[in-house]
Amino acid sequence: MTMFYVCKLDDLEIGDSIKLEQYKPPIAVIRGESGQVYAIDDTCTHAEASFCDGFVEGDTVECPLHMSVFCLKTGAPDNPPAIKAVATHIVNIKDGDVFIEVQR
């Protein structure tokens, strides 16, 4: 698989996200409160809201519509109403640049 450039790590502050709409479904690249960068499908499995509009707490993101919380590392929901995980993608940081490998 090929790694794709996303941004400079310094351009992604703690709690920030970038929506990559060139992928279907779109991918959210999110920097958790630990400083770790994650890439997950951007669409909540319950009501199709964008995680880029959600709230980052720790290394989780909360859907802005119905408040299901998803683990950024695994994509698994921690609470209802969502019950299905979202896909996660590989993130690689090299020389201060963020790259992702899309897993589809």
Side-chain angles (χ1 to χ4, degrees):
M1 284 272 191
T2 303
M3 301 295 287
F4 296 96
Y5 175 79
V6 176
C7 66
K8 293 281 190 195
L9 180 59
D10 290 344
D11 293 338
L12 195 60
E13 299 290 328
I14 301 291
D16 280 353
S17 62
I18 295 174
K19 186 174 187 175
L20 305 176
E21 296 192 57
Q22 67 266 40
Y23 300 101
K24 300 296 176 198
I27 294 173
V29 178
I30 300 173
R31 191 164 187 183
E33 289 184 336
S34 69
Q36 183 77 31
V37 178
Y38 302 95
I40 64 172
D41 280 356
D42 184 52
T43 307
C44 177
T45 56
H46 171 251
E48 300 187 8
S50 171
F51 290 121
C52 287
D53 296 330
F55 178 72
V56 175
E57 183 173 348
D59 284 349
T60 65
V61 63
E62 182 179 277
C63 174
L65 288 183
H66 299 102
M67 299 172 205
S68 282
V69 176
F70 288 77
C71 174
L72 290 169
K73 182 176 181 180
T74 66
D78 289 343
N79 61 307
I83 57 172
K84 184 177 176 187
V86 294
T88 60
H89 307 281
I90 295 171
V91 175
N92 189 4
I93 311 292
K94 184 173 182 181
D95 297 329
D97 293 324
V98 178
F99 297 87
I100 64 166
E101 181 180 312
V102 178
Q103 304 292 303
R104 293 199 178 124

PDB file of all heavy atoms in Angstrom, residues 25-66:
ATOM      1  N   PRO A  25     -15.755   6.444   1.948  1.00  0.00           N
ATOM      2  CA  PRO A  25     -16.188   7.639   2.653  1.00  0.00           C
ATOM      3  C   PRO A  25     -14.983   8.505   3.028  1.00  0.00           C
ATOM      4  O   PRO A  25     -13.845   8.009   3.032  1.00  0.00           O
ATOM      5  CB  PRO A  25     -16.876   7.088   3.907  1.00  0.00           C
ATOM      6  CG  PRO A  25     -16.223   5.785   4.157  1.00  0.00           C
ATOM      7  CD  PRO A  25     -15.886   5.239   2.790  1.00  0.00           C
ATOM      8  N   PRO A  26     -15.228   9.775   3.349  1.00  0.00           N
ATOM      9  CA  PRO A  26     -14.131  10.658   3.752  1.00  0.00           C
ATOM     10  C   PRO A  26     -13.387  10.105   4.971  1.00  0.00           C
ATOM     11  O   PRO A  26     -13.924   9.306   5.732  1.00  0.00           O
ATOM     12  CB  PRO A  26     -14.834  11.973   4.105  1.00  0.00           C
ATOM     13  CG  PRO A  26     -16.141  11.911   3.408  1.00  0.00           C
ATOM     14  CD  PRO A  26     -16.522  10.454   3.366  1.00  0.00           C
ATOM     15  N   ILE A  27     -12.152  10.537   5.134  1.00  0.00           N
ATOM     16  CA  ILE A  27     -11.314  10.118   6.266  1.00  0.00           C
ATOM     17  C   ILE A  27     -11.049  11.332   7.146  1.00  0.00           C
ATOM     18  O   ILE A  27     -10.778  12.422   6.645  1.00  0.00           O
ATOM     19  CB  ILE A  27      -9.999   9.500   5.763  1.00  0.00           C
ATOM     20  CG1 ILE A  27     -10.295   8.184   5.023  1.00  0.00           C
ATOM     21  CG2 ILE A  27      -9.020   9.267   6.920  1.00  0.00           C
ATOM     22  CD1 ILE A  27      -9.097   7.575   4.341  1.00  0.00           C
ATOM     23  N   ALA A  28     -11.139  11.123   8.468  1.00  0.00           N
ATOM     24  CA  ALA A  28     -10.799  12.165   9.436  1.00  0.00           C
ATOM     25  C   ALA A  28      -9.423  11.856  10.009  1.00  0.00           C
ATOM     26  O   ALA A  28      -9.195  10.765  10.518  1.00  0.00           O
ATOM     27  CB  ALA A  28     -11.836  12.223  10.555  1.00  0.00           C
ATOM     28  N   VAL A  29      -8.515  12.799   9.910  1.00  0.00           N
ATOM     29  CA  VAL A  29      -7.203  12.688  10.549  1.00  0.00           C
ATOM     30  C   VAL A  29      -7.286  13.567  11.791  1.00  0.00           C
ATOM     31  O   VAL A  29      -7.521  14.775  11.688  1.00  0.00           O
ATOM     32  CB  VAL A  29      -6.072  13.134   9.607  1.00  0.00           C
ATOM     33  CG1 VAL A  29      -4.733  13.043  10.306  1.00  0.00           C
ATOM     34  CG2 VAL A  29      -6.081  12.281   8.332  1.00  0.00           C
ATOM     35  N   ILE A  30      -7.158  12.940  12.958  1.00  0.00           N
ATOM     36  CA  ILE A  30      -7.434  13.609  14.238  1.00  0.00           C
ATOM     37  C   ILE A  30      -6.244  13.445  15.164  1.00  0.00           C
ATOM     38  O   ILE A  30      -5.684  12.356  15.291  1.00  0.00           O
ATOM     39  CB  ILE A  30      -8.701  13.006  14.896  1.00  0.00           C
ATOM     40  CG1 ILE A  30      -9.914  13.196  13.983  1.00  0.00           C
ATOM     41  CG2 ILE A  30      -8.941  13.623  16.277  1.00  0.00           C
ATOM     42  CD1 ILE A  30     -11.165  12.480  14.466  1.00  0.00           C
ATOM     43  N   ARG A  31      -5.856  14.540  15.841  1.00  0.00           N
ATOM     44  CA  ARG A  31      -4.784  14.470  16.839  1.00  0.00           C
ATOM     45  C   ARG A  31      -5.415  14.425  18.223  1.00  0.00           C
ATOM     46  O   ARG A  31      -6.055  15.385  18.672  1.00  0.00           O
ATOM     47  CB  ARG A  31      -3.851  15.662  16.711  1.00  0.00           C
ATOM     48  CG  ARG A  31      -2.580  15.492  17.531  1.00  0.00           C
ATOM     49  CD  ARG A  31      -1.515  16.456  17.123  1.00  0.00           C
ATOM     50  NE  ARG A  31      -0.264  16.173  17.799  1.00  0.00           N
ATOM     51  CZ  ARG A  31       0.823  16.892  17.675  1.00  0.00           C
ATOM     52  NH1 ARG A  31       0.820  17.943  16.875  1.00  0.00           N
ATOM     53  NH2 ARG A  31       1.919  16.565  18.324  1.00  0.00           N
ATOM     54  N   GLY A  32      -5.257  13.275  18.895  1.00  0.00           N
ATOM     55  CA  GLY A  32      -5.813  13.091  20.228  1.00  0.00           C
ATOM     56  C   GLY A  32      -5.060  13.902  21.274  1.00  0.00           C
ATOM     57  O   GLY A  32      -3.998  14.482  21.006  1.00  0.00           O
ATOM     58  N   GLU A  33      -5.603  13.921  22.487  1.00  0.00           N
ATOM     59  CA  GLU A  33      -4.991  14.700  23.562  1.00  0.00           C
ATOM     60  C   GLU A  33      -3.644  14.151  24.000  1.00  0.00           C
ATOM     61  O   GLU A  33      -2.869  14.853  24.635  1.00  0.00           O
ATOM     62  CB  GLU A  33      -5.951  14.797  24.741  1.00  0.00           C
ATOM     63  CG  GLU A  33      -7.140  15.693  24.431  1.00  0.00           C
ATOM     64  CD  GLU A  33      -8.061  15.887  25.616  1.00  0.00           C
ATOM     65  OE1 GLU A  33      -8.091  15.035  26.531  1.00  0.00           O
ATOM     66  OE2 GLU A  33      -8.763  16.913  25.622  1.00  0.00           O
ATOM     67  N   SER A  34      -3.332  12.888  23.653  1.00  0.00           N
ATOM     68  CA  SER A  34      -2.001  12.328  23.945  1.00  0.00           C
ATOM     69  C   SER A  34      -0.953  12.840  22.971  1.00  0.00           C
ATOM     70  O   SER A  34       0.239  12.642  23.181  1.00  0.00           O
ATOM     71  CB  SER A  34      -2.054  10.799  23.866  1.00  0.00           C
ATOM     72  OG  SER A  34      -2.238  10.390  22.512  1.00  0.00           O
ATOM     73  N   GLY A  35      -1.397  13.485  21.905  1.00  0.00           N
ATOM     74  CA  GLY A  35      -0.486  13.946  20.850  1.00  0.00           C
ATOM     75  C   GLY A  35      -0.401  12.973  19.696  1.00  0.00           C
ATOM     76  O   GLY A  35       0.141  13.302  18.640  1.00  0.00           O
ATOM     77  N   GLN A  36      -0.946  11.769  19.889  1.00  0.00           N
ATOM     78  CA  GLN A  36      -0.966  10.759  18.831  1.00  0.00           C
ATOM     79  C   GLN A  36      -1.917  11.199  17.713  1.00  0.00           C
ATOM     80  O   GLN A  36      -2.959  11.797  17.979  1.00  0.00           O
ATOM     81  CB  GLN A  36      -1.432   9.420  19.420  1.00  0.00           C
ATOM     82  CG  GLN A  36      -1.426   8.273  18.468  1.00  0.00           C
ATOM     83  CD  GLN A  36      -0.018   7.731  18.222  1.00  0.00           C
ATOM     84  OE1 GLN A  36       0.824   7.786  19.109  1.00  0.00           O
ATOM     85  NE2 GLN A  36       0.211   7.246  17.028  1.00  0.00           N
ATOM     86  N   VAL A  37      -1.551  10.894  16.472  1.00  0.00           N
ATOM     87  CA  VAL A  37      -2.394  11.210  15.321  1.00  0.00           C
ATOM     88  C   VAL A  37      -3.056   9.925  14.839  1.00  0.00           C
ATOM     89  O   VAL A  37      -2.400   8.887  14.718  1.00  0.00           O
ATOM     90  CB  VAL A  37      -1.577  11.848  14.184  1.00  0.00           C
ATOM     91  CG1 VAL A  37      -2.464  12.130  12.972  1.00  0.00           C
ATOM     92  CG2 VAL A  37      -0.912  13.134  14.667  1.00  0.00           C
ATOM     93  N   TYR A  38      -4.356   9.997  14.562  1.00  0.00           N
ATOM     94  CA  TYR A  38      -5.146   8.848  14.117  1.00  0.00           C
ATOM     95  C   TYR A  38      -5.861   9.198  12.818  1.00  0.00           C
ATOM     96  O   TYR A  38      -6.157  10.364  12.561  1.00  0.00           O
ATOM     97  CB  TYR A  38      -6.201   8.489  15.168  1.00  0.00           C
ATOM     98  CG  TYR A  38      -5.628   8.178  16.515  1.00  0.00           C
ATOM     99  CD1 TYR A  38      -5.537   9.161  17.502  1.00  0.00           C
ATOM    100  CD2 TYR A  38      -5.169   6.905  16.819  1.00  0.00           C
ATOM    101  CE1 TYR A  38      -5.008   8.881  18.747  1.00  0.00           C
ATOM    102  CE2 TYR A  38      -4.631   6.615  18.066  1.00  0.00           C
ATOM    103  CZ  TYR A  38      -4.561   7.609  19.014  1.00  0.00           C
ATOM    104  OH  TYR A  38      -4.029   7.333  20.246  1.00  0.00           O
ATOM    105  N   ALA A  39      -6.178   8.162  12.046  1.00  0.00           N
ATOM    106  CA  ALA A  39      -6.993   8.332  10.839  1.00  0.00           C
ATOM    107  C   ALA A  39      -8.126   7.316  10.900  1.00  0.00           C
ATOM    108  O   ALA A  39      -7.887   6.117  11.040  1.00  0.00           O
ATOM    109  CB  ALA A  39      -6.153   8.131   9.593  1.00  0.00           C
ATOM    110  N   ILE A  40      -9.366   7.797  10.824  1.00  0.00           N
ATOM    111  CA  ILE A  40     -10.550   6.930  10.851  1.00  0.00           C
ATOM    112  C   ILE A  40     -11.512   7.405   9.778  1.00  0.00           C
ATOM    113  O   ILE A  40     -11.462   8.565   9.349  1.00  0.00           O
ATOM    114  CB  ILE A  40     -11.269   6.954  12.223  1.00  0.00           C
ATOM    115  CG1 ILE A  40     -11.825   8.345  12.530  1.00  0.00           C
ATOM    116  CG2 ILE A  40     -10.348   6.476  13.326  1.00  0.00           C
ATOM    117  CD1 ILE A  40     -12.718   8.379  13.774  1.00  0.00           C
ATOM    118  N   ASP A  41     -12.394   6.489   9.350  1.00  0.00           N
ATOM    119  CA  ASP A  41     -13.458   6.942   8.458  1.00  0.00           C
ATOM    120  C   ASP A  41     -14.227   8.038   9.175  1.00  0.00           C
ATOM    121  O   ASP A  41     -14.499   7.942  10.376  1.00  0.00           O
ATOM    122  CB  ASP A  41     -14.385   5.788   8.081  1.00  0.00           C
ATOM    123  CG  ASP A  41     -13.796   4.914   6.975  1.00  0.00           C
ATOM    124  OD1 ASP A  41     -12.712   5.247   6.451  1.00  0.00           O
ATOM    125  OD2 ASP A  41     -14.432   3.894   6.639  1.00  0.00           O
ATOM    126  N   ASP A  42     -14.564   9.089   8.449  1.00  0.00           N
ATOM    127  CA  ASP A  42     -15.114  10.304   9.070  1.00  0.00           C
ATOM    128  C   ASP A  42     -16.609  10.221   9.370  1.00  0.00           C
ATOM    129  O   ASP A  42     -17.160  11.137   9.959  1.00  0.00           O
ATOM    130  CB  ASP A  42     -14.846  11.509   8.162  1.00  0.00           C
ATOM    131  CG  ASP A  42     -15.304  12.799   8.787  1.00  0.00           C
ATOM    132  OD1 ASP A  42     -14.908  13.068   9.943  1.00  0.00           O
ATOM    133  OD2 ASP A  42     -16.090  13.516   8.136  1.00  0.00           O
ATOM    134  N   THR A  43     -17.269   9.141   9.014  1.00  0.00           N
ATOM    135  CA  THR A  43     -18.717   9.089   9.120  1.00  0.00           C
ATOM    136  C   THR A  43     -19.152   8.168  10.259  1.00  0.00           C
ATOM    137  O   THR A  43     -18.817   6.980  10.268  1.00  0.00           O
ATOM    138  CB  THR A  43     -19.320   8.587   7.796  1.00  0.00           C
ATOM    139  OG1 THR A  43     -18.810   9.404   6.727  1.00  0.00           O
ATOM    140  CG2 THR A  43     -20.820   8.689   7.820  1.00  0.00           C
ATOM    141  N   CYS A  44     -19.916   8.710  11.209  1.00  0.00           N
ATOM    142  CA  CYS A  44     -20.438   7.918  12.324  1.00  0.00           C
ATOM    143  C   CYS A  44     -21.307   6.780  11.778  1.00  0.00           C
ATOM    144  O   CYS A  44     -22.102   6.980  10.853  1.00  0.00           O
ATOM    145  CB  CYS A  44     -21.262   8.800  13.267  1.00  0.00           C
ATOM    146  SG  CYS A  44     -22.009   7.862  14.633  1.00  0.00           S
ATOM    147  N   THR A  45     -21.156   5.585  12.333  1.00  0.00           N
ATOM    148  CA  THR A  45     -21.913   4.430  11.852  1.00  0.00           C
ATOM    149  C   THR A  45     -23.374   4.456  12.293  1.00  0.00           C
ATOM    150  O   THR A  45     -24.174   3.674  11.804  1.00  0.00           O
ATOM    151  CB  THR A  45     -21.262   3.121  12.348  1.00  0.00           C
ATOM    152  OG1 THR A  45     -21.169   3.165  13.776  1.00  0.00           O
ATOM    153  CG2 THR A  45     -19.894   2.928  11.733  1.00  0.00           C
ATOM    154  N   HIS A  46     -23.748   5.371  13.164  1.00  0.00           N
ATOM    155  CA  HIS A  46     -25.139   5.457  13.610  1.00  0.00           C
ATOM    156  C   HIS A  46     -25.959   6.414  12.750  1.00  0.00           C
ATOM    157  O   HIS A  46     -26.970   6.042  12.190  1.00  0.00           O
ATOM    158  CB  HIS A  46     -25.211   5.880  15.079  1.00  0.00           C
ATOM    159  CG  HIS A  46     -26.606   6.197  15.523  1.00  0.00           C
ATOM    160  ND1 HIS A  46     -27.030   7.479  15.796  1.00  0.00           N
ATOM    161  CD2 HIS A  46     -27.683   5.405  15.702  1.00  0.00           C
ATOM    162  CE1 HIS A  46     -28.298   7.456  16.142  1.00  0.00           C
ATOM    163  NE2 HIS A  46     -28.727   6.213  16.094  1.00  0.00           N
ATOM    164  N   ALA A  47     -25.506   7.667  12.635  1.00  0.00           N
ATOM    165  CA  ALA A  47     -26.332   8.665  11.947  1.00  0.00           C
ATOM    166  C   ALA A  47     -25.553   9.471  10.915  1.00  0.00           C
ATOM    167  O   ALA A  47     -26.010  10.525  10.487  1.00  0.00           O
ATOM    168  CB  ALA A  47     -26.968   9.611  12.952  1.00  0.00           C
ATOM    169  N   GLU A  48     -24.401   8.972  10.513  1.00  0.00           N
ATOM    170  CA  GLU A  48     -23.641   9.543   9.405  1.00  0.00           C
ATOM    171  C   GLU A  48     -23.188  10.981   9.627  1.00  0.00           C
ATOM    172  O   GLU A  48     -23.045  11.741   8.669  1.00  0.00           O
ATOM    173  CB  GLU A  48     -24.414   9.402   8.099  1.00  0.00           C
ATOM    174  CG  GLU A  48     -24.703   7.954   7.767  1.00  0.00           C
ATOM    175  CD  GLU A  48     -25.320   7.744   6.400  1.00  0.00           C
ATOM    176  OE1 GLU A  48     -25.394   8.713   5.628  1.00  0.00           O
ATOM    177  OE2 GLU A  48     -25.706   6.618   6.111  1.00  0.00           O
ATOM    178  N   ALA A  49     -22.945  11.365  10.848  1.00  0.00           N
ATOM    179  CA  ALA A  49     -22.387  12.686  11.127  1.00  0.00           C
ATOM    180  C   ALA A  49     -20.875  12.638  10.933  1.00  0.00           C
ATOM    181  O   ALA A  49     -20.252  11.581  11.017  1.00  0.00           O
ATOM    182  CB  ALA A  49     -22.712  13.110  12.553  1.00  0.00           C
ATOM    183  N   SER A  50     -20.280  13.808  10.709  1.00  0.00           N
ATOM    184  CA  SER A  50     -18.827  13.910  10.525  1.00  0.00           C
ATOM    185  C   SER A  50     -18.129  14.006  11.873  1.00  0.00           C
ATOM    186  O   SER A  50     -18.460  14.862  12.699  1.00  0.00           O
ATOM    187  CB  SER A  50     -18.497  15.151   9.695  1.00  0.00           C
ATOM    188  OG  SER A  50     -17.104  15.377   9.693  1.00  0.00           O
ATOM    189  N   PHE A  51     -17.119  13.149  12.072  1.00  0.00           N
ATOM    190  CA  PHE A  51     -16.323  13.236  13.304  1.00  0.00           C
ATOM    191  C   PHE A  51     -15.518  14.531  13.355  1.00  0.00           C
ATOM    192  O   PHE A  51     -15.139  14.973  14.434  1.00  0.00           O
ATOM    193  CB  PHE A  51     -15.393  12.034  13.434  1.00  0.00           C
ATOM    194  CG  PHE A  51     -16.126  10.748  13.711  1.00  0.00           C
ATOM    195  CD1 PHE A  51     -16.004   9.680  12.851  1.00  0.00           C
ATOM    196  CD2 PHE A  51     -16.941  10.617  14.823  1.00  0.00           C
ATOM    197  CE1 PHE A  51     -16.675   8.494  13.100  1.00  0.00           C
ATOM    198  CE2 PHE A  51     -17.627   9.439  15.077  1.00  0.00           C
ATOM    199  CZ  PHE A  51     -17.493   8.373  14.210  1.00  0.00           C
ATOM    200  N   CYS A  52     -15.257  15.121  12.200  1.00  0.00           N
ATOM    201  CA  CYS A  52     -14.525  16.394  12.199  1.00  0.00           C
ATOM    202  C   CYS A  52     -15.347  17.506  12.854  1.00  0.00           C
ATOM    203  O   CYS A  52     -14.803  18.539  13.228  1.00  0.00           O
ATOM    204  CB  CYS A  52     -14.132  16.773  10.773  1.00  0.00           C
ATOM    205  SG  CYS A  52     -12.785  15.747  10.128  1.00  0.00           S
ATOM    206  N   ASP A  53     -16.656  17.302  13.005  1.00  0.00           N
ATOM    207  CA  ASP A  53     -17.516  18.244  13.727  1.00  0.00           C
ATOM    208  C   ASP A  53     -17.707  17.818  15.180  1.00  0.00           C
ATOM    209  O   ASP A  53     -18.449  18.453  15.929  1.00  0.00           O
ATOM    210  CB  ASP A  53     -18.892  18.335  13.050  1.00  0.00           C
ATOM    211  CG  ASP A  53     -18.796  18.894  11.641  1.00  0.00           C
ATOM    212  OD1 ASP A  53     -17.882  19.708  11.382  1.00  0.00           O
ATOM    213  OD2 ASP A  53     -19.625  18.502  10.793  1.00  0.00           O
ATOM    214  N   GLY A  54     -17.067  16.713  15.578  1.00  0.00           N
ATOM    215  CA  GLY A  54     -17.238  16.169  16.919  1.00  0.00           C
ATOM    216  C   GLY A  54     -16.270  16.761  17.924  1.00  0.00           C
ATOM    217  O   GLY A  54     -15.552  17.722  17.644  1.00  0.00           O
ATOM    218  N   PHE A  55     -16.249  16.148  19.115  1.00  0.00           N
ATOM    219  CA  PHE A  55     -15.457  16.637  20.240  1.00  0.00           C
ATOM    220  C   PHE A  55     -14.409  15.594  20.604  1.00  0.00           C
ATOM    221  O   PHE A  55     -14.742  14.438  20.868  1.00  0.00           O
ATOM    222  CB  PHE A  55     -16.384  16.906  21.436  1.00  0.00           C
ATOM    223  CG  PHE A  55     -15.679  17.369  22.652  1.00  0.00           C
ATOM    224  CD1 PHE A  55     -15.151  18.639  22.729  1.00  0.00           C
ATOM    225  CD2 PHE A  55     -15.532  16.531  23.743  1.00  0.00           C
ATOM    226  CE1 PHE A  55     -14.481  19.075  23.863  1.00  0.00           C
ATOM    227  CE2 PHE A  55     -14.869  16.943  24.885  1.00  0.00           C
ATOM    228  CZ  PHE A  55     -14.346  18.221  24.940  1.00  0.00           C
ATOM    229  N   VAL A  56     -13.131  16.008  20.607  1.00  0.00           N
ATOM    230  CA  VAL A  56     -12.032  15.115  20.959  1.00  0.00           C
ATOM    231  C   VAL A  56     -11.777  15.214  22.454  1.00  0.00           C
ATOM    232  O   VAL A  56     -11.623  16.306  23.001  1.00  0.00           O
ATOM    233  CB  VAL A  56     -10.755  15.475  20.175  1.00  0.00           C
ATOM    234  CG1 VAL A  56      -9.586  14.618  20.632  1.00  0.00           C
ATOM    235  CG2 VAL A  56     -10.986  15.316  18.677  1.00  0.00           C
ATOM    236  N   GLU A  57     -11.766  14.044  23.119  1.00  0.00           N
ATOM    237  CA  GLU A  57     -11.434  13.979  24.538  1.00  0.00           C
ATOM    238  C   GLU A  57     -10.537  12.764  24.734  1.00  0.00           C
ATOM    239  O   GLU A  57     -10.918  11.648  24.363  1.00  0.00           O
ATOM    240  CB  GLU A  57     -12.682  13.862  25.398  1.00  0.00           C
ATOM    241  CG  GLU A  57     -12.346  13.873  26.883  1.00  0.00           C
ATOM    242  CD  GLU A  57     -13.576  13.931  27.764  1.00  0.00           C
ATOM    243  OE1 GLU A  57     -14.682  14.178  27.276  1.00  0.00           O
ATOM    244  OE2 GLU A  57     -13.408  13.721  28.975  1.00  0.00           O
ATOM    245  N   GLY A  58      -9.370  12.981  25.308  1.00  0.00           N
ATOM    246  CA  GLY A  58      -8.393  11.892  25.401  1.00  0.00           C
ATOM    247  C   GLY A  58      -8.035  11.456  23.995  1.00  0.00           C
ATOM    248  O   GLY A  58      -7.737  12.285  23.135  1.00  0.00           O
ATOM    249  N   ASP A  59      -8.095  10.161  23.749  1.00  0.00           N
ATOM    250  CA  ASP A  59      -7.887   9.649  22.397  1.00  0.00           C
ATOM    251  C   ASP A  59      -9.184   9.034  21.885  1.00  0.00           C
ATOM    252  O   ASP A  59      -9.211   7.942  21.324  1.00  0.00           O
ATOM    253  CB  ASP A  59      -6.734   8.650  22.369  1.00  0.00           C
ATOM    254  CG  ASP A  59      -5.386   9.365  22.455  1.00  0.00           C
ATOM    255  OD1 ASP A  59      -5.352  10.619  22.323  1.00  0.00           O
ATOM    256  OD2 ASP A  59      -4.377   8.702  22.656  1.00  0.00           O
ATOM    257  N   THR A  60     -10.281   9.788  22.106  1.00  0.00           N
ATOM    258  CA  THR A  60     -11.599   9.416  21.595  1.00  0.00           C
ATOM    259  C   THR A  60     -12.205  10.621  20.893  1.00  0.00           C
ATOM    260  O   THR A  60     -11.759  11.754  21.082  1.00  0.00           O
ATOM    261  CB  THR A  60     -12.558   8.968  22.727  1.00  0.00           C
ATOM    262  OG1 THR A  60     -12.804  10.089  23.586  1.00  0.00           O
ATOM    263  CG2 THR A  60     -11.982   7.812  23.534  1.00  0.00           C
ATOM    264  N   VAL A  61     -13.228  10.342  20.090  1.00  0.00           N
ATOM    265  CA  VAL A  61     -13.989  11.421  19.469  1.00  0.00           C
ATOM    266  C   VAL A  61     -15.467  11.127  19.682  1.00  0.00           C
ATOM    267  O   VAL A  61     -15.906   9.988  19.573  1.00  0.00           O
ATOM    268  CB  VAL A  61     -13.646  11.573  17.967  1.00  0.00           C
ATOM    269  CG1 VAL A  61     -14.014  10.345  17.162  1.00  0.00           C
ATOM    270  CG2 VAL A  61     -14.297  12.826  17.384  1.00  0.00           C
ATOM    271  N   GLU A  62     -16.224  12.179  20.012  1.00  0.00           N
ATOM    272  CA  GLU A  62     -17.656  12.050  20.251  1.00  0.00           C
ATOM    273  C   GLU A  62     -18.421  12.528  19.035  1.00  0.00           C
ATOM    274  O   GLU A  62     -18.182  13.632  18.538  1.00  0.00           O
ATOM    275  CB  GLU A  62     -18.053  12.883  21.470  1.00  0.00           C
ATOM    276  CG  GLU A  62     -19.519  12.788  21.829  1.00  0.00           C
ATOM    277  CD  GLU A  62     -19.841  13.623  23.048  1.00  0.00           C
ATOM    278  OE1 GLU A  62     -19.628  13.122  24.169  1.00  0.00           O
ATOM    279  OE2 GLU A  62     -20.273  14.777  22.876  1.00  0.00           O
ATOM    280  N   CYS A  63     -19.348  11.710  18.554  1.00  0.00           N
ATOM    281  CA  CYS A  63     -20.194  12.100  17.431  1.00  0.00           C
ATOM    282  C   CYS A  63     -20.998  13.345  17.833  1.00  0.00           C
ATOM    283  O   CYS A  63     -21.584  13.370  18.915  1.00  0.00           O
ATOM    284  CB  CYS A  63     -21.132  10.947  17.065  1.00  0.00           C
ATOM    285  SG  CYS A  63     -22.319  11.403  15.796  1.00  0.00           S
ATOM    286  N   PRO A  64     -21.072  14.356  16.959  1.00  0.00           N
ATOM    287  CA  PRO A  64     -21.772  15.587  17.328  1.00  0.00           C
ATOM    288  C   PRO A  64     -23.292  15.450  17.370  1.00  0.00           C
ATOM    289  O   PRO A  64     -23.959  16.309  17.935  1.00  0.00           O
ATOM    290  CB  PRO A  64     -21.339  16.579  16.248  1.00  0.00           C
ATOM    291  CG  PRO A  64     -21.041  15.725  15.060  1.00  0.00           C
ATOM    292  CD  PRO A  64     -20.465  14.444  15.627  1.00  0.00           C
ATOM    293  N   LEU A  65     -23.856  14.385  16.803  1.00  0.00           N
ATOM    294  CA  LEU A  65     -25.320  14.263  16.769  1.00  0.00           C
ATOM    295  C   LEU A  65     -25.904  13.528  17.975  1.00  0.00           C
ATOM    296  O   LEU A  65     -26.836  14.025  18.607  1.00  0.00           O
ATOM    297  CB  LEU A  65     -25.763  13.546  15.485  1.00  0.00           C
ATOM    298  CG  LEU A  65     -25.648  14.339  14.191  1.00  0.00           C
ATOM    299  CD1 LEU A  65     -26.193  13.531  13.027  1.00  0.00           C
ATOM    300  CD2 LEU A  65     -26.360  15.681  14.293  1.00  0.00           C
ATOM    301  N   HIS A  66     -25.390  12.342  18.285  1.00  0.00           N
ATOM    302  CA  HIS A  66     -26.024  11.534  19.327  1.00  0.00           C
ATOM    303  C   HIS A  66     -25.059  11.096  20.416  1.00  0.00           C
ATOM    304  O   HIS A  66     -25.370  10.235  21.224  1.00  0.00           O
ATOM    305  CB  HIS A  66     -26.724  10.323  18.697  1.00  0.00           C
ATOM    306  CG  HIS A  66     -27.794  10.730  17.737  1.00  0.00           C
ATOM    307  ND1 HIS A  66     -27.618  10.695  16.368  1.00  0.00           N
ATOM    308  CD2 HIS A  66     -29.031  11.233  17.938  1.00  0.00           C
ATOM    309  CE1 HIS A  66     -28.711  11.138  15.771  1.00  0.00           C
ATOM    310  NE2 HIS A  66     -29.585  11.480  16.706  1.00  0.00           N
TER     311      HIS A  66
END
